[in-house]
Amino acid sequence: MNELLKNTLLRAIHAGADVLKHYFQGTFEIKSKSSLNDLVTEVDKKAEDAIIEVIKSVFPEHFILSEEAGEMSSASNYKWIIDPIDGTVNFAHGIPICCVSIGLEKDGQMIAGAVFNPFMNELFFAERGKGAFLNNRPLKVSTNPNMESACLVTGFPYRWVDVGADPISVFERFIRLGLPVRRLGSAAIDLCWVAAGRFDGFWEYNLNPWDIAAGYLIIEEAGGRISNFNGDAYNIYDKQTLATNGQIHEQMLEIIKGTGNPKI
Ligand code: IPD
Ligand code: CA
Ligand code: CA
């Protein structure tokens, strides 16, 4: 990836994060989207504008897919996939677990991704084939091969319709195994924390491409594995996401499918 693309990605993510920092725990307008607690704030839109402005000023012809603005399609083989705030509910409640997430695709393949939580000053970055980094330090997934001692994270959709499976039953199966399962409220941060070895695995139903685009590459470049619930090769438009350190992937797949040994 050339330096101009990388610099633009980093400038864009900082432009978005500056907006989050400015409004955090202040006053801003909040509205509901698909359900009462599926929120969008004026900060999502302002951060999105700031991000898109940076990208468009350098690459006006590139394709953009952004959560609130939708698609700005073009014939370009570059596509920026943007979540201006991942963890909007946390942001709206003054909980500092939220981030800006931007992935960059070229010819349908993710080539770079950045996730920045400015409240923890954690910038996760990956470039295809060049590794994943947290604040410039190389990232590696955990080496834990045992489900018995795994620490997991998940998330739940805002609405239960069209999920196609029952997330509560899957959650219950993991909890009944006595495993610690956390729920941070930001899928992008969940993925990055698996990449950083803090969690051994993450699963969620019904995520959108902007939730996953950057984290997907960060997981892969940190040596992890990401798939759908059949274990198939992943694409960010999938509605089932399982990301792990690789070692516990098959065991987690069995628990999710309900075919695993209930005692592990
Ligand atoms: C949400 C977060 C959350 C996940 C939801 C997402 P948003 O994104 O990633 O962790 O459980 O499914 O929609 O709405 O805060 O951008
Ligand atoms: Ca999101
Ligand atoms: Ca969002």
Side-chain angles (χ1 to χ4, degrees):
M1 186 171 71
N2 71 43
E3 280 302 302
L4 187 58
L5 282 167
K6 182 174 173 180
N7 288 341
T8 306
L9 171 58
L10 295 175
R11 279 207 301 123
I13 204 143
H14 279 103
D18 285 348
V19 178
L20 270 62
K21 281 196 282 190
H22 180 79
Y23 285 95
F24 189 62
Q25 294 178 338
T27 39
F28 44 82
E29 193 187 348
I30 305 175
K31 288 190 182 146
S32 298
K33 294 197 286 186
S34 67
S35 69
L36 185 65
N37 289 305
D38 179 6
L39 305 180
V40 59
T41 72
E42 64 173 302
V43 188
D44 293 75
K45 297 205 169 120
K46 287 195 159 108
E48 182 173 70
D49 287 347
I51 294 162
I52 292 174
E53 193 181 313
V54 170
I55 297 167
K56 286 272 174 208
S57 70
V58 188
F59 300 112
E61 75 289 4
H62 282 188
F63 194 124
I64 288 180
L65 168 63
S66 189
E67 180 174 12
E68 313 304 339
E71 264 188 11
M72 289 164 223
S73 65
S74 77
S76 168
N77 54 346
Y78 287 98
K79 181 172 177 182
W80 300 78
I81 303 169
I82 302 163
D83 194 339
I85 306 181
D86 188 56
T88 294
V89 173
N90 286 348
F91 183 86
H93 289 269
I95 299 168
I97 303 178
C98 42
C99 62
V100 183
S101 172
I102 306 176
L104 176 59
E105 259 183 22
K106 184 184 180 196
D107 298 320
Q109 187 184 54
M110 203 64 61
I111 58 165
V115 170
F116 186 27
N117 174 355
F119 310 107
M120 293 185 177
N121 195 26
E122 291 196 326
L123 174 63
F124 298 87
F125 174 80
E127 191 179 336
R128 180 164 295 279
K130 295 202 172 160
F133 300 86
L134 165 54
N135 295 342
N136 295 321
R137 290 193 315 276
L139 274 189
K140 201 87 199 86
V141 290
S142 73
T143 54
N144 180 10
N146 301 315
M147 275 281 293
E148 290 94 322
S149 54
C151 185
L152 306 177
V153 65
T154 188
F156 298 95
Y158 292 113
R159 297 157 77 231
W160 294 102
V161 289
D162 302 332
V163 167
D166 178 2
I168 289 292
S169 306
V170 174
F171 181 65
E172 184 180 355
R173 286 202 283 279
F174 281 107
I175 290 293
R176 284 194 185 281
L177 292 169
L179 297 175
V181 182
R182 303 293 181 248
R183 200 284 197 233
L184 299 184
S186 163
I189 291 179
D190 295 335
L191 289 164
C192 289
W193 286 23
V194 174
R198 296 171 185 170
F199 293 121
D200 304 297
F202 162 71
W203 83 95
E204 186 161 346
Y205 295 87
N206 263 17
L207 290 170
N208 287 299
W210 44 82
D211 302 314
I212 314 160
Y216 155 68
L217 187 65
I218 292 167
I219 283 275
E220 286 208 332
E221 288 295 322
R225 179 174 165 197
I226 184 162
S227 76
N228 65 17
F229 296 161
N230 290 321
D232 301 329
Y234 193 68
N235 95 64
I236 59 163
Y237 304 92
D238 267 334
K239 286 292 170 194
Q240 304 172 334
T241 306
L242 172 63
T244 71
N245 65 0
Q247 311 228 33
I248 63 165
H249 205 90
E250 293 297 326
Q251 294 169 79
M252 281 193 72
L253 276 175
E254 289 196 351
I255 307 289
I256 289 170
K257 288 191 275 194
T259 53
N261 175 356
K263 296 197 183 67
I264 304 183

